[in-house]
Amino acid sequence: MASHEDHQSRDSPKVLLFKPPPSMNLIGEQPFTSTKFQYLKAYESPLPLDQFLATHAKSIQAILSSGSVPVNTEILRQLPNVRVVVTTSAGLNQIDLPECRRRGVIVANSGDVYSADVADAAVGLLISVLRKITVAGRYVKQGFWAARGDYPLGSKLGGKRVGIVGLGNIGSLVAKRLEAFGCQISYNSRNKKPSVSYPFYPEVRELAANSDAIIVCCGLTDQTYHMIDKEVLAALGKNGVIVNIGRGPIIDEKEMVRLLVQGELGGAGLDVFENEPDVPKELFALDNVVMTPHNAVFTPESMHDVAKHVVGNLEAFFANRPLLSPYMDD
Amino acid sequence: MASHEDHQSRDSPKVLLFKPPPSMNLIGEQPFTSTKFQYLKAYESPLPLDQFLATHAKSIQAILSSGSVPVNTEILRQLPNVRVVVTTSAGLNQIDLPECRRRGVIVANSGDVYSADVADAAVGLLISVLRKITVAGRYVKQGFWAARGDYPLGSKLGGKRVGIVGLGNIGSLVAKRLEAFGCQISYNSRNKKPSVSYPFYPEVRELAANSDAIIVCCGLTDQTYHMIDKEVLAALGKNGVIVNIGRGPIIDEKEMVRLLVQGELGGAGLDVFENEPDVPKELFALDNVVMTPHNAVFTPESMHDVAKHVVGNLEAFFANRPLLSPYMDD
């Protein structure tokens, strides 16, 4: 066995791993392994990163990245033989995509393996905010029910106008779920989708003005950075609810916090934040804010799915087959 | 105006109110009022209840009851002119139905005005338990994310086998919602429903043995009291989740608490309890238990709907028209 491993280790293509992605931390390395390639683990080396990269630059053909592992110009320059970057994340904001394009490096994200889980989490956050499930639960667990009586009313889902910001895989699944609750769906995206019958708003501020809740489902790009700004949040208004399962910086967090604290925004369900894992402390005391620690994608099922997907993408690359989920500019 | 009111007060039919239903406490009395009848409020009288009833027995033709106001043989005997009992509750377990039948008193519940809200709450509780939204939210609000890192995995909704106990209005709406999440629905009820294609289990224990989660959506009757007993919960097993938005005593709560504490049941989402507002304190410390204070029906929208429904039922009765939601034995 040892000699077989030595043989494999010598010959199989090398995939650089700066640090284990969260999914690998959560379910272990085994589901990410393959007989067709081998990970070079920068985090297990005693060498400083630059030296590690210099030592292995020649053999590294691929990088496995995750949401918190940037792949920037500097890195790409040090690794001229890299031809593919595969991520365990759906978002690619940590990757310098123009630089990859310039260098002919192809990029593959997690495809839609997380989409259903993220959509479920978005709906869970919305119900939890509207129906006060989290805060009413605390009320019960603190023993207040018997002493203080009925808990203040939540708000009905049925009939609520829900605006989806970004109607891709995830946004479409959120819409499908909320239709079953009797919500009225409309959406904003870069372009109107010809196959979709939901009302389309070309301006996100207009979407917010015509919605009881908006759900941020898009990716983070230069165009979507702080797209949900003071004006959009003001248009959503003091009874409006914002849910974010996209990326923190899509919302101007400082403005959102200010409006929530001042009661000028109705509530928020947040899985993502501008400076994770730091969360604005002003939100801790607000009963109309439900937060989860960027774990909308984290189920054992999706972790195993993404491992399979990563291995599939890398094996496809090394076998000169098309990737499972190549990133395409559009 | 005063003379008109006097006139109305003298002539309009009388509806007994023992105490304001929760919906009236929450949205006020006005939506429950009508020019066609008048409430006699026992709780505003200085007289002891028996004396109050004796004084007004002749004029009381109707009772407005709620979940916590029993209408038993004793009450009915004291009020021989009562011909109708209207409730603000969906459940009728507080009403002595056989005695009503014997006396020719017709009974009307809240119909399906709450069904969507209760179904929403059931789904919200299930997502919150499976995806750990409530407990992960506490983790964030306590400031643990930065210090302790990622939160333990929840569990995916998609593909979960969900057993609905009682496929009436509410159960059907729960099923419809969970289908949109990719759950596999099956059900138990008194009889197989010919128009329903979900798999039917005549025995609730069999349903539990073949489910990842069961959702109790039925009413409380002699037949359903402690129907979810030790054996059913054991069949659900240590990864199984129970959600109850029906009535507390449908579950053997003591057994459920024991199994949850011992880790032999996977989790629980509970809106109702055996001895409300008392909740077993053993549940307070369990992260896999999400509880709400019997408020699954409590949205402003449903409170106004039920007021309209109560008025509609009572006006129909006094006009000799059919009730909106007469209770029928089946």
Side-chain angles (χ1 to χ4, degrees), chain B residues 293-310:
Chain B
H294 199 152
N295 68 352
V297 304
F298 286 172
T299 68
E301 294 88 346
S302 71
M303 299 293 101
H304 284 278
D305 287 348
V306 82
K308 223 164 109 180
H309 193 81
V310 158

Side-chain angles (χ1 to χ4, degrees), chain A:
Chain A
M1 283 306 282
S3 70
H4 171 75
E5 276 173 24
D6 287 347
H7 173 78
Q8 187 190 325
S9 133
R10 228 178 14 253
D11 295 349
S12 59
K14 303 293 185 289
V15 178
L16 175 64
L17 204 50
F18 288 102
K19 67 175 189 179
S23 41
M24 196 181 278
N25 280 330
L26 286 160
I27 63 168
E29 194 181 317
Q30 199 281 325
F32 289 85
T33 59
S34 164
T35 55
K36 303 293 196 300
F37 60 82
Q38 192 198 8
Y39 292 110
L40 266 181
K41 301 171 186 171
Y43 56 97
E44 286 186 351
S45 167
L47 297 176
L49 183 61
D50 278 355
Q51 213 175 318
F52 180 84
L53 295 182
T55 308
H56 296 284
K58 243 174 137 173
S59 65
I60 296 174
Q61 301 176 50
I63 298 173
L64 175 56
S65 161
S66 62
S68 62
V69 173
V71 178
N72 52 31
T73 314
E74 180 63 25
I75 298 284
L76 290 165
R77 199 156 32 80
Q78 289 176 79
L79 301 171
N81 291 338
V82 162
R83 298 267 71 85
V84 66
V85 177
V86 171
T87 74
T88 57
S89 59
L92 291 174
N93 52 289
Q94 75 280 22
I95 317 271
D96 187 334
L97 294 170
E99 183 65 16
C100 285
R101 200 180 310 119
R102 212 181 60 73
R103 292 178 170 269
V105 172
I106 55 176
V107 175
N109 72 351
S110 61
D112 60 0
V113 298
Y114 302 123
S115 301
D117 281 338
V118 176
D120 294 352
V123 175
L125 285 168
L126 181 65
I127 302 180
S128 205
V129 173
L130 287 178
R131 301 298 309 274
K132 301 181 192 277
I133 288 181
T134 294
V135 65
R138 200 180 63 203
Y139 184 81
V140 173
K141 286 197 172 183
Q142 290 177 330
F144 290 158
W145 187 10
R148 302 186 187 174
D150 285 333
Y151 195 77
L153 292 174
S155 183
K156 196 187 191 76
L157 263 82
K160 284 281 183 301
R161 301 165 304 160
V162 179
I164 310 282
V165 180
L167 199 71
N169 278 333
I170 294 169
S172 302
L173 292 177
V174 171
K176 179 188 159 196
R177 282 151 177 71
L178 290 176
E179 277 196 287
F181 290 84
C183 296
Q184 296 168 31
I185 308 296
S186 54
Y187 75 106
N188 163 261
S189 62
R190 273 166 299 188
N191 302 300
K192 188 175 187 328
K193 296 181 188 284
S195 62
V196 167
S197 62
Y198 307 132
F200 168 70
Y201 288 90
E203 297 296 332
V204 69
R205 209 197 59 76
E206 281 301 307
L207 181 76
N210 289 283
S211 296
D212 301 306
I214 62 175
I215 304 193
V216 179
C217 302
C218 58
L220 174 62
T221 64
D222 289 348
Q223 286 71 46
T224 64
Y225 176 83
H226 279 202
M227 178 173 64
I228 310 295
D229 59 11
K230 189 164 64 173
E231 281 69 36
V232 174
L233 294 168
L236 190 56
K238 72 180 178 54
N239 295 313
V241 171
I242 185 148
V243 172
N244 191 2
I245 47 82
R247 283 287 181 274
I250 299 169
I251 301 179
D252 183 339
E253 191 173 80
K254 212 172 136 185
E255 283 299 330
M256 178 183 68
V257 169
R258 189 180 63 76
L259 292 169
L260 283 166
V261 167
Q262 296 179 353
E264 292 169 32
L265 184 61
L270 307 168
D271 186 53
V272 288
F273 304 86
E274 278 213 61
N275 302 299
E276 297 171 7
D278 289 328
V279 173
K281 292 192 178 25
E282 298 93 322
L283 300 180
F284 291 3
L286 299 182
D287 283 348
N288 53 344
V289 177
V290 179
M291 299 183 284
T292 46
H294 200 151
N295 68 352
V297 304
F298 286 173
T299 68
E301 293 87 345
S302 71
M303 297 294 100
H304 284 278
D305 287 348
V306 82
K308 223 163 108 180
H309 193 78
V310 158
V311 169
N313 264 315
L314 289 167
E315 289 186 348
F317 172 75
F318 292 121
N320 289 310
R321 294 194 313 267
L323 300 195
L324 304 181
S325 52
Y327 169 72
M328 317 268 194
D329 279 335
D330 55 359

Side-chain angles (χ1 to χ4, degrees), chain B residues 57-294:
Chain B
K58 244 173 136 172
S59 66
I60 296 173
Q61 300 175 55
I63 299 173
L64 175 56
S65 161
S66 62
S68 62
V69 173
V71 178
N72 53 30
T73 313
E74 180 63 24
I75 299 285
L76 290 165
R77 198 154 32 80
Q78 289 176 80
L79 300 170
N81 291 339
V82 163
R83 298 268 68 87
V84 66
V85 177
V86 171
T87 74
T88 57
S89 60
L92 292 173
N93 50 290
Q94 77 280 21
I95 316 272
D96 187 334
L97 294 170
E99 182 65 17
C100 286
R101 199 179 311 118
R102 212 180 60 75
R103 292 176 171 270
V105 172
I106 55 176
V107 176
N109 72 352
S110 60
D112 60 1
V113 297
Y114 302 122
S115 301
D117 281 338
V118 175
D120 294 351
V123 174
L125 286 168
L126 181 65
I127 302 180
S128 204
V129 173
L130 287 179
R131 300 298 308 274
K132 302 182 190 279
I133 288 181
T134 295
V135 65
R138 201 179 62 204
Y139 183 80
V140 173
K141 287 197 171 182
Q142 290 176 332
F144 290 158
W145 187 10
R148 302 187 187 174
D150 285 334
Y151 196 75
L153 293 173
S155 183
K156 196 187 190 76
L157 263 81
K160 285 280 184 300
R161 301 165 304 159
V162 178
I164 310 282
V165 180
L167 198 72
N169 278 335
I170 295 169
S172 301
L173 292 176
V174 170
K176 178 188 161 195
R177 283 153 175 70
L178 290 176
E179 277 196 288
F181 291 84
C183 296
Q184 298 168 31
I185 309 295
S186 54
Y187 75 106
N188 163 262
S189 63
R190 273 166 298 189
N191 301 300
K192 188 175 186 331
K193 296 182 187 283
S195 62
V196 166
S197 61
Y198 307 131
F200 170 69
Y201 288 90
E203 297 295 333
V204 70
R205 208 196 59 77
E206 280 302 305
L207 180 76
N210 289 283
S211 296
D212 301 306
I214 62 177
I215 303 193
V216 179
C217 301
C218 58
L220 175 62
T221 64
D222 288 348
Q223 286 72 46
T224 64
Y225 176 83
H226 279 200
M227 178 173 63
I228 310 295
D229 59 11
K230 188 164 64 171
E231 281 71 35
V232 173
L233 295 167
L236 189 55
K238 73 182 178 53
N239 296 312
V241 171
I242 186 150
V243 171
N244 191 3
I245 45 83
R247 282 288 181 273
I250 299 169
I251 301 180
D252 183 338
E253 191 173 81
K254 211 173 137 186
E255 282 299 330
M256 178 183 68
V257 169
R258 189 180 62 77
L259 291 169
L260 283 166
V261 167
Q262 297 180 353
E264 292 169 32
L265 185 61
L270 307 168
D271 185 54
V272 288
F273 304 87
E274 278 214 61
N275 302 299
E276 296 169 8
D278 290 327
V279 172
K281 292 189 179 24
E282 298 92 322
L283 299 181
F284 290 4
L286 299 183
D287 283 348
N288 53 343
V289 177
V290 178
M291 298 184 285
T292 46
H294 199 152

